[in-house]
């Protein structure tokens, strides 16, 4: 973990050194979601990205090659998380990413929410501000936009596939001791993998994108007691409000749920069911 963060900081320093070729952009997001059982979630995110040319070549596949270094901070009513990611585009249709981050959580008694929980005698109990949640991740994405080869305002179909291997841990947890961060379900220190697939259509309208997303997860992927295949299926719609401001509406369904509040163990449902509806407002600068 320390080596990953050190490498990311070195990449960040190199990017600053070559500032003559660097461009920067940022975004601020506000997410509100209503889930199964009328649970309510809210989160604010701010990120800033530095982009520099790298491994550029001739032709449409290589002329835009670049390295992006992204710093991100997310705050919810019960946790704060920071991260740094480096994303290399060695060819127009691919991205290779490496990142890591950390966070901590606290209780919100008014809504009976706990940002950090640790197993004690078979049940998760509050461990607010007691330790550090941390993670490292590596991923690769393949993506394509038909608008790059077809002419016309109505010719853009986006296809993206992303796969990731990550390690997540909690500094106060012992080996195989369960913990939970930001109500995300019980976990133990270890490796996990995930996949994400998006198919979307872009249009020259205020409603400029509609699409579908499929995400799958396997926790403790290298252990004999790895989790079953967990997945989410989402419908996406993005609306341009004004310049630099957009609104993404997500309807999400899943094949899993929490077994109970005491353990927060993620278990399979009998059938795919409603998970949540989220609205994400994004301002780009």
């Amino acid at each position: 973990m320390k080596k990953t963060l050190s490498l990311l900081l070195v990449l960040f320093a190199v990017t600053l050194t070559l500032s003559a070729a660097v461009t920067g952009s940022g975004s601020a997001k506000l997410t509100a979601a209503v889930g199964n059982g009328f649970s309510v979630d809210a989160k604010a995110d701010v990120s800033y990205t530095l982009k520099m040319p790298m491994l550029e070549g001739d032709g449409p596949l290589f002329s835009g090659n670049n390295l992006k270094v992204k710093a991100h901070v997310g705050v919810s009513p019960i946790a704060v998380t920071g991260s740094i990611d480096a994303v290399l585009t060695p060819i127009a249709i691919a991205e290779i990413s490496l990142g890591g981050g950390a966070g901590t959580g606290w209780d919100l008694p008014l809504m009976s929410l706990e940002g950090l929980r640790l197993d004690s005698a078979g049940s998760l109990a509050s461990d607010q501000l007691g330790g550090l949640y941390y993670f490292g991740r590596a991923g690769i994405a393949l993506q394509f936009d038909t608008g790059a080869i077809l002419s016309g305002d109505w010719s853009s179909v986006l296809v993206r596939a992303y796969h990731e291997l990550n390690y997540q841990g909690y500094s106060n947890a012992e080996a195989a001791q369960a913990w939970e961060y930001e109500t995300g379900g019980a976990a133990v220190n270890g490796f996990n993998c995930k996949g994400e697939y998006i198919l979307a259509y872009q249009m020259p309208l205020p409603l400029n994108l509609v699409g579908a997303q499929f995400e799958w997860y396997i926790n403790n992927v290298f252990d004999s007691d790895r989790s079953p295949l967990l997945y989410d299926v989402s419908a996406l719609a993005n609306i341009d409000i004004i310049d630099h401001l957009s609104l993404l509406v997500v309807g999400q369904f899943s094949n899993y749920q929490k077994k109970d509040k005491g353990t927060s163990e993620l278990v399979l449902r009998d059938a795919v069911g409603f998970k949540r509806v989220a609205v994400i407002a994004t301002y780009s600068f």
Side-chain angles (χ1 to χ4, degrees), residues 9-27:
L9 290 173
V10 169
L11 289 172
F12 190 75
V14 170
T15 301
L16 289 176
T17 303
L18 300 175
S19 58
V22 170
T23 58
S25 61
S27 66

Side-chain angles (χ1 to χ4, degrees), residues 44-62:
D45 298 86
V46 177
S47 63
Y48 193 79
T49 301
L50 296 175
K51 177 181 176 181
M52 61 178 291
M54 183 169 286
L55 303 178
E56 284 188 308
D58 298 325
L61 288 178
F62 303 101

Side-chain angles (χ1 to χ4, degrees), residues 45-160:
D45 298 86
V46 177
S47 63
Y48 193 79
T49 301
L50 296 175
K51 177 181 176 181
M52 61 178 291
M54 183 169 286
L55 303 178
E56 284 188 308
D58 298 325
L61 288 178
F62 303 101
S63 60
N65 291 358
N66 62 81
L67 173 68
K68 295 186 286 287
V69 179
K70 178 180 179 180
H72 167 266
V73 176
V75 181
S76 74
I78 56 173
V80 58
T81 309
S83 64
I84 299 177
D85 289 275
V87 182
L88 176 66
T89 304
I91 187 171
I93 62 171
E95 291 181 340
I96 301 170
S97 59
L98 180 67
T104 192
W106 52 86
D107 296 347
L108 184 62
L110 182 65
M111 299 183 66
S112 300
L113 295 174
E114 297 167 337
L116 267 175
R117 306 173 76 201
L118 186 64
D119 179 67
S120 176
S123 182
L124 293 174
S126 173
D127 196 37
Q128 67 168 326
L129 302 175
L132 197 66
Y133 162 73
Y134 59 90
F135 61 91
R137 57 193 173 202
I140 184 167
L142 297 175
Q143 55 196 11
F144 185 69
D145 180 0
T146 59
I149 59 173
L150 301 176
S151 60
D153 293 336
W154 298 87
S155 63
S156 180
V157 177
L158 303 176
V159 181
R160 176 179 168 87

Side-chain angles (χ1 to χ4, degrees), residues 136-139 162-167 191-194 221-222:
R137 57 193 173 202
Y162 172 75
H163 294 93
E164 175 185 296
L165 178 67
N166 64 65
Y167 185 93
F191 286 94
N192 316 287
C193 63
K194 64 175 287 188
V221 64
F222 298 130

Side-chain angles (χ1 to χ4, degrees), residues 160-199:
R160 176 179 168 87
Y162 172 75
H163 294 93
E164 175 185 296
L165 178 67
N166 64 65
Y167 185 93
Q168 297 185 73
Y170 178 48
S171 62
N172 270 11
E174 298 178 0
Q177 184 179 16
W179 50 268
E180 183 181 29
Y181 181 67
E182 207 171 10
T183 69
V188 296
N189 295 356
F191 286 94
N192 316 287
C193 63
K194 64 175 287 188
E196 175 187 292
Y197 313 98
I198 297 175
L199 178 63

